[in-house]
Amino acid sequence: MSVSGSAAASGSAPGEVPDSVLADAVMERLTALYPAAGNPFRAQEMVAYMKGVAPFLGIRTPERRALSRTVLAGTPRPGEDDCAAVALRCFALPEREYHYFAVDYLRRHVKRCSSGFLPVARRLVTTVSWWDTVDHLAAHVVGGLVAADPALASEMDAWIDDADPWIARTALLHQLRFKGDTDADRLFSYCLRRAADTDFFLRKAIGWSLREYAKTAPGEVRAFVADNRSLFSPLSVREALRHL
């Protein structure tokens, strides 16, 4: 199925942030509480650890999540447009903690989003792309959407060949939590289609996706790697077989 016209932006032009009273309230609280809890010295350490991908406020994860609970206290359950508005507005802010808030919010509420939310998820994957947000979006948001609507697997078939390695990585990782519901043929096909890539994050994702599926089907993964070992990088093979 095609999801080019996102239901998440009903009433809005593609790419625009939907109007949302809930998002207005959340963002007002968020942008008041998060900066006040920032630590400039810790922020420098976080920037260095994340290779300078984005500035940080300097809020550690446990404290950030406690603040997030305060931000969301008493707020109603969001609709799809609310989810899109909160996430897109957070990702429009420079500091990484806002992006983390958005990812956590979507992980919590992805079941309230339809297949039409996939273009929003793609936009987030391609915004300030790095593993710390992309991997959670892949496994919990994109994966959640595909699990709810298996027809979206055809979109993943396009994503795996995308020129953007983070989109391809998302396709590789979207089944991480599927366990026995994993489409093994699709997973193995994706790994083979990107096997020749030299990108570190794609090679790592190949191994990770296989290692995770090996928890469900160790024999299948062992046989697949044995049959195709010469095609994969040593990194991919090492990651795939780590626990086998």
Side-chain angles (χ1 to χ4, degrees):
M1 68 179 293
S2 172
V3 293
S4 58
S6 172
S10 57
S12 302
E16 287 187 358
V17 179
D19 292 331
S20 165
V21 173
L22 173 57
D24 291 342
V26 168
M27 297 307 297
E28 182 177 1
R29 295 181 184 181
L30 184 64
T31 54
L33 286 178
Y34 266 29
N39 182 313
F41 297 103
R42 193 179 300 133
Q44 293 177 8
E45 296 175 351
M46 292 175 169
V47 168
Y49 178 71
M50 286 297 170
K51 308 297 185 184
V53 67
F56 279 78
L57 294 168
I59 310 172
R60 291 194 176 117
T61 298
E63 183 182 3
R64 175 175 57 80
R65 287 184 172 156
L67 289 169
S68 296
R69 289 192 290 272
T70 299
V71 168
L72 296 174
T75 60
R77 292 182 179 182
E80 185 171 327
D81 278 0
D82 300 317
C83 288
V86 168
L88 292 171
R89 288 175 66 175
C90 282
F91 267 76
L93 297 172
E95 290 84 9
R96 199 60 161 172
E97 287 91 343
Y98 294 119
H99 308 170
Y100 294 158
F101 178 90
V103 172
D104 287 347
Y105 194 74
L106 293 181
R107 285 181 60 170
R108 181 178 179 182
H109 296 297
V110 66
K111 290 184 178 180
R112 304 185 65 79
C113 298
S114 72
S115 57
F117 194 81
L118 188 63
V120 176
R122 181 187 176 100
R123 183 170 165 187
L124 300 176
V125 167
T126 57
T127 302
V128 197
S129 304
W130 199 241
W131 61 265
D132 56 334
T133 55
V134 170
D135 293 356
H136 290 292
L137 290 168
H140 298 280
V141 180
V142 174
L145 294 172
V146 176
D149 181 4
L152 289 182
S154 63
E155 297 289 333
M156 298 299 99
D157 293 344
W159 284 28
I160 190 61
D161 293 321
D162 201 276
D164 186 329
W166 295 106
I167 292 294
R169 181 175 168 98
T170 299
L172 280 164
L173 299 180
H174 83 276
Q175 295 193 87
L176 275 185
R177 301 173 69 239
F178 282 25
K179 299 182 180 180
D181 293 327
T182 299
D183 184 333
D185 290 340
R186 180 168 268 115
L187 170 62
F188 294 157
S189 170
Y190 286 6
C191 291
L192 290 172
R193 281 155 73 171
R194 303 306 299 228
D197 270 279
T198 59
D199 182 85
F200 170 83
F201 289 104
L202 283 176
R203 288 181 167 184
K204 188 88 169 180
I206 289 170
W208 184 12
S209 63
L210 292 172
R211 183 176 76 245
E212 194 64 25
Y213 184 50
K215 296 176 183 178
T216 298
E220 288 185 41
V221 172
R222 190 181 292 110
F224 172 72
V225 173
D227 289 345
N228 299 282
R229 192 178 191 119
S230 64
L231 301 177
F232 292 118
S233 70
L235 172 62
S236 296
V237 172
R238 185 169 63 252
E239 289 293 321
L241 302 180
R242 179 179 294 182
H243 301 304
L244 292 179

